């Protein structure tokens, strides 16, 4: 029972263009959503988060959009850089469930120069 | 450094042996979490400690797995009688839980456990 789904295993984007990573969830109790970036042999690095009371949060080149009615969120990276090449994980949690994160399976992003 | 520290970074052991994995959270973080990532999978929650409350052990896959957190800081995850399916990267995270506000979890680099 996958509560958080990242349906695209990989994405390839040209340097300078926009990268859009998508995530869907099924549990309406989730109230906090996060994106993590992971390089090989390293732990996930927190990128950006959004609370369910918002529909957009922006931090530099990274913007997260939340569509609660569709139970969908997306991460936009613009402009994409070769150093953005990594695995991106979407995660969700709820204070009701003690803040344990439920992760998607990840999307491999390759930014070509 | 100031981040979450895990040791060892790699551990290879024979099936049936016990292993202990250690996590040093970020100083001042009251919440500590253990996750694992099996090959080709997303991260799977194992256990969560928050202050002096009873830990949430709902993610532990079997009674061979246990964890403790001494003095509200360092945590040890123990796997007894290891099996080959225990092979994974074990990740520790910590966060500072605000009052009613969500806080991001910050991860260590993990322990890569290989059971022969």
């Amino acid at each position: 029972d996958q509560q958080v789904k990242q349906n695209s295993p990989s994405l390839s984007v040209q340097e300078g263009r926009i990268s859009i990573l998508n995530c869907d969830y099924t549990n309406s109790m989730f109230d906090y959503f996060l994106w993590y970036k992971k390089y090989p042999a390293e732990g996930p690095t927190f990128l950006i988060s959004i609370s369910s009371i918002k529909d957009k949060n922006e931090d530099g080149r990274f913007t997260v959009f939340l569509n609660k009615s569709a139970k969908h969120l997306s991460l936009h990276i613009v402009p994409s850089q070769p150093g953005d090449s990594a695995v991106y994980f979407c995660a969700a949690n709820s204070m009701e469930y003690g803040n344990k994160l439920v992760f998607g399976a990840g999307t491999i992003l390759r930014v070509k120069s | 450094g100031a981040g979450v520290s895990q040791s060892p970074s790699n551990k290879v052991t024979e099936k049936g042996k016990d292993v202990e994995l250690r996590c040093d959270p970020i100083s001042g973080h009251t919440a500590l979490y253990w996750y694992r990532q099996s090959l080709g999978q997303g991260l799977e929650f194992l256990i969560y400690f928050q202050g002096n409350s009873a830990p949430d052990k709902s993610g532990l896959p079997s009674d061979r797995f246990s964890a403790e957190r001494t003095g509200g800081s360092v945590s040890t995850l123990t796997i007894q009688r290891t099996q080959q399916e225990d092979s994974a990267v074990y990740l520790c995270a910590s966060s500072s839980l605000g009052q009613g506000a969500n806080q991001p979890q910050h991860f260590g680099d993990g322990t890569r456990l290989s059971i022969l």
Side-chain angles (χ1 to χ4, degrees):
Chain A
D1 177 25
Q2 270 194 303
Q3 297 188 72
V4 177
K5 296 179 184 179
Q6 293 177 255
N7 291 319
S8 298
S10 65
L11 175 68
S12 186
V13 172
Q14 196 66 35
E15 180 180 7
R17 305 295 289 269
I18 186 170
S19 295
I20 300 176
L21 297 131
N22 293 302
C23 178
D24 296 291
Y25 62 96
T26 57
N27 190 336
S28 59
M29 296 298 292
F30 288 143
D31 56 16
Y32 185 54
F33 304 88
L34 309 89
W35 284 94
Y36 285 84
K37 169 180 169 181
K38 187 179 184 302
Y39 293 120
E42 294 184 10
T45 301
F46 169 70
L47 273 178
I48 193 168
S49 63
I50 187 166
S51 164
S52 59
I53 62 174
K54 294 186 173 182
D55 55 19
K56 177 182 175 182
N57 188 26
E58 190 172 353
D59 183 2
R61 295 185 299 114
F62 302 92
T63 303
V64 56
F65 295 92
L66 176 63
N67 182 334
K68 280 180 293 184
S69 61
K71 294 192 177 69
H72 176 83
L73 66 156
S74 60
L75 174 68
H76 292 208
I77 307 173
V78 55
S80 302
Q81 300 173 354
D84 296 330
S85 297
V87 180
Y88 288 78
F89 289 99
C90 168
N93 75 2
S94 166
M95 295 281 281
E96 296 284 331
Y97 301 140
N99 288 314
K100 56 192 176 191
L101 291 175
V102 179
F103 282 85
T107 296
I108 300 169
L109 173 65
R110 296 187 185 90
V111 180
K112 298 176 289 187
S113 55
Chain B
V4 176
S5 177
Q6 291 188 246
S7 61
S9 53
N10 286 283
K11 176 74 176 178
V12 180
T13 192
E14 292 179 347
K15 176 182 169 182
K17 301 285 190 183
D18 297 351
V19 294
E20 280 191 357
L21 312 178
R22 177 188 167 103
C23 172
D24 271 288
I26 293 172
S27 177
H29 280 189
T30 57
L32 186 148
Y33 310 78
W34 284 97
Y35 295 84
R36 74 175 175 182
Q37 185 180 18
S38 301
L39 190 63
Q41 305 292 317
L43 281 75
E44 170 193 8
F45 167 78
L46 296 176
I47 188 170
Y48 156 55
F49 296 89
Q50 167 54 19
N52 295 322
S53 303
D56 176 353
K57 304 179 183 179
S58 60
L60 294 178
S62 80
D63 59 7
R64 296 186 295 104
F65 287 72
S66 62
E68 61 178 23
R69 188 179 185 192
T70 53
S73 181
V74 171
S75 177
T76 302
L77 177 69
T78 301
I79 309 174
Q80 295 178 309
R81 305 181 303 281
T82 52
Q83 303 293 314
Q84 287 186 331
E85 61 263 27
D86 299 335
S87 296
V89 177
Y90 289 81
L91 290 152
C92 177
S94 69
S95 71
S96 58
L97 283 181
Q99 292 178 354
N102 285 297
Q103 297 292 328
Q105 296 175 25
H106 298 275
F107 285 81
D109 286 339
T111 294
R112 183 174 297 276
L113 177 64
S114 300
I115 309 299
L116 303 179

